[in-house]
Amino acid sequence: MGQSIVPEVKTTPVKKWYMMNSGELIFSAGELKISDRNVYTLSSVSTFSSPQNVVRFSGFFHTSQEFHYNFSNAVGFYIGIAVRNVGFINHFKIEGEQMKLKQRSYALGIPLALKVGNMQNYYFNLGVEPELMFAYKRKVFYDGEKSKKSEWFSDDVNLFNPSVFAQLNFKGGFYLRAKYYLNDFLANDYEAFSIPGKTMSVEYKVDKSTLFYISLGTTIKNRKVHKGSAVKTMST
């Protein structure tokens, strides 16, 4: 007699806690509105162009540890702790040359999300995440030269910035997320810095600095979970 094939049994934890680790690739953008913009040289003062926002890609460093609980195979939630690198890039025209300004901060967040769908296959998350912007960096590029500034808990950004997000989860642990920050990314204050390689500087007032992103990510279930009931599916 031939040997029988036993279908693989997959389980989704129900009515117990389990852990997931996640990482993502982030494509961020925003809207920077400024006023009172001036460029200063040794002998004159003039204005420069409004900022043009471009998409910023970031693959490092993004990680999240999540603690999940499913009431059934269709409804659950999770809470966790996460670290991400978020920010935006803007281009300006100054005296005929393009200046590129990169501004980002590492953020420490506590996501809380409701999960609805089929936990074995496709499900939807809707959540909130208060975040702490703890490590700010600014890079300025102009005419082949570069300067940078780094600060812990900088006054240049809003230290506390809550966000809301929606996420579509696919079979196999992959997901697509959209997130929007409720506060301005930058503090509504004057920014001033020197142009690298030039004897001139710029100054402007930040009126608005919205930030949002779309990300592609993956989650991996921690194999060490507590014993409990589970919903089983069969696959060949």
Side-chain angles (χ1 to χ4, degrees):
M1 296 178 63
Q3 193 174 33
S4 62
I5 299 175
V6 179
E8 179 187 356
V9 178
K10 297 181 180 180
T11 62
T12 295
V14 174
K15 295 184 179 179
K16 66 176 181 176
W17 291 96
Y18 61 98
M19 297 172 63
M20 302 280 282
N21 300 312
S22 72
E24 58 191 323
L25 303 175
I26 293 179
F27 301 85
S28 59
E31 182 183 19
L32 177 62
K33 288 188 175 181
I34 63 175
S35 60
D36 299 334
R37 55 184 188 268
N38 295 293
V39 54
Y40 298 93
T41 64
L42 292 176
S43 59
S44 66
V45 179
S46 59
T47 62
F48 56 96
S49 70
S50 297
Q52 179 185 2
N53 188 257
V54 297
V55 174
R56 175 182 183 266
F57 169 75
S58 175
F60 183 85
F61 173 71
H62 315 296
T63 184
S64 178
Q65 181 75 67
E66 303 162 0
F67 302 88
H68 290 247
Y69 188 90
N70 294 334
F71 300 102
S72 69
N73 194 45
V75 179
F77 78 98
Y78 74 80
I79 189 170
I81 186 167
V83 176
R84 295 186 187 86
N85 172 356
V86 295
F88 51 35
I89 300 173
N90 286 280
H91 290 172
F92 303 80
K93 280 289 186 179
I94 297 179
E95 295 190 344
E97 295 285 343
Q98 178 177 277
M99 181 185 76
K100 180 164 67 173
L101 179 62
K102 294 184 176 182
Q103 294 169 287
R104 66 89 170 140
S105 180
Y106 274 101
L108 177 66
I110 302 177
L112 175 63
L114 175 69
K115 308 188 298 180
V116 179
N118 185 334
M119 302 305 158
Q120 296 278 12
N121 296 297
Y122 303 95
Y123 60 93
F124 183 75
N125 293 354
L126 189 63
V128 297
E129 185 171 358
E131 298 185 46
L132 184 72
M133 304 291 173
F134 65 89
Y136 171 72
K137 178 177 284 188
R138 179 184 69 206
K139 292 183 179 180
V140 183
F141 302 83
Y142 186 82
D143 195 21
E145 301 288 338
K146 179 179 74 172
S147 66
K148 62 181 180 180
K149 170 188 177 181
S150 299
E151 278 188 343
W152 295 95
F153 304 101
S154 175
D155 293 334
D156 290 348
V157 293
N158 282 312
L159 181 64
F160 176 75
N161 203 337
S163 61
V164 292
F165 65 90
Q167 179 175 313
L168 180 60
N169 301 271
F170 302 94
K171 188 175 181 179
F174 297 99
Y175 65 82
L176 176 66
R177 173 184 292 160
K179 175 182 280 192
Y180 182 83
Y181 287 88
L182 300 180
N183 292 338
D184 284 341
F185 176 60
L186 302 175
N188 290 341
D189 202 351
Y190 278 89
E191 288 208 321
F193 50 86
S194 298
I195 301 298
K198 303 292 180 180
T199 55
M200 60 181 178
S201 61
V202 299
E203 181 183 80
Y204 55 83
K205 184 180 185 302
V206 177
D207 297 321
K208 184 179 181 181
S209 54
T210 57
L211 177 64
F212 54 88
Y213 72 69
I214 293 175
S215 66
L216 301 173
T218 183
T219 56
I220 301 174
K221 186 181 297 181
N222 190 320
R223 293 182 179 181
K224 295 180 179 180
V225 297
H226 297 293
K227 293 181 179 181
S229 60
V231 175
K232 298 183 179 181
T233 61
M234 307 294 289
S235 64
T236 58

